[in-house]
């Protein structure tokens, strides 16, 4: 699908490239773009918005203080395919740019993306960084997690185990993987890994890419001083189609060479 620029002018200073995929989420996008526009670093952004499901309400895009390119999918595509397509879409940022995968159903505050980019720049061995994620009620979400195992997944399905607990305090820490709600990559690292594995239509793309980052010698980081609010939909718990995709992705990952190899890595400290 072609990418159309609808706002702003490209600039070498725009070193944070955001990929946002909408499934008819105009009501979320309007407030998300308002949050982005209010950030002090807004003029560093360029956004690629993938319309996976058409949405006619786009008037708010005209007032964005950063360039926005739109990709209209003729047919819905999977999570990895959409973000990989956005990554390749012009105009691209400079080689030192950061690539951000961002859900449309989040709220941002402060200057979180710029802080995360700075933190990532201070850690040259890091392949991705994420913020702390909380619900609209302020409850922490389990967005930073340990490598899944079949026994652990069975216990979780039976409601017999809780989420992995992040370390207390404000120090940056390194989980096995972070959820694809908000992931900030160095552009060259995302390119090195060839982006997301598009064999996962939905779910576990984030587990897979974090595992491949670790196998390539990079670390996965979370900066708990930066928080975003996520209005989680939990579709896999309510609709059989999503539950089927979730189960397929779990089984695909557990049977993959990536999983067999990453299980042999030393445990995180």
């Amino acid at each position: 699908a072609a990418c159309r620029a609808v706002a702003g002018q490209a600039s070498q200073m725009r070193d944070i490239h955001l990929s946002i995929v909408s499934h008819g989420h105009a009501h979320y996008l309007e407030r998300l773009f308002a949050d982005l526009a209010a950030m002090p670093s807004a003029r560093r952004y360029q956004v690629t918005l993938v319309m996976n499901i058409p949405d006619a309400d786009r008037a708010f895009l005209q007032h964005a203080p950063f360039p926005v390119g739109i990709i209209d999918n003729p047919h819905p595509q999977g999570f990895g395919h959409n973000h990989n397509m956005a990554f390749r879409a012009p105009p691209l940022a400079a080689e030192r740019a950061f690539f951000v995968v961002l859900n449309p159903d989040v709220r941002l505050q402060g200057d979180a993306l710029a802080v995360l980019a700075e933190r990532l720049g201070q850690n040259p061995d890091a392949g991705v960084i994420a913020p702390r994620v909380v619900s609209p009620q302020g409850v922490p979400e389990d967005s930073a997690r340990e490598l899944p195992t079949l026994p652990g997944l069975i216990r979780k399905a039976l409601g017999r185990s809780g989420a992995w607990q992040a370390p207390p305090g404000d120090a940056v820490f390194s989980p096995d993987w972070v959820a694809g709600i908000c992931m900030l990559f160095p552009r060259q690292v995302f390119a090195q890994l060839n982006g997301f594995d598009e064999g996962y239509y939905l779910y576990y793309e984030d587990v897979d890419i974090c595992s491949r980052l670790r196998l390539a010698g990079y670390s996965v980081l979370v900066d708990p001083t930066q928080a975003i609010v996520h209005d989680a939909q939990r579709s896999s718990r309510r609709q059989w189609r999503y539950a089927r995709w979730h189960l397929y992705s779990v089984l695909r990952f557990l049977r993959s060479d990536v999983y067999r190899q990453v299980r042999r890595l030393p445990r995180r400290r």
Side-chain angles (χ1 to χ4, degrees), residues 21-79:
V21 179
S22 174
H23 305 271
H25 287 145
H27 57 299
Y28 287 128
L29 290 172
E30 185 169 3
R31 65 186 194 182
L32 173 59
F33 271 72
D35 290 348
L36 290 169
M39 289 189 160
S41 61
R43 295 191 179 277
R44 292 176 58 187
Y45 302 161
Q46 58 185 46
V47 176
T48 301
L49 177 59
V50 180
M51 294 295 193
N52 205 35
I53 296 176
D55 199 318
D57 186 4
R58 305 181 183 186
F60 61 92
L61 295 175
Q62 302 300 327
H63 306 292
F66 39 76
V68 180
I70 293 184
I71 298 175
D72 286 291
N73 277 347
H75 306 287
Q77 301 289 345
F79 178 97

Side-chain angles (χ1 to χ4, degrees), residues 118-128 186 188-189 217-219 221:
E118 181 178 2
R119 186 81 73 180
L120 197 56
Q122 296 168 350
N123 292 270
D125 294 331
V128 67
Q188 67 273 19
V189 172
Y218 296 103
S219 59
L221 300 182

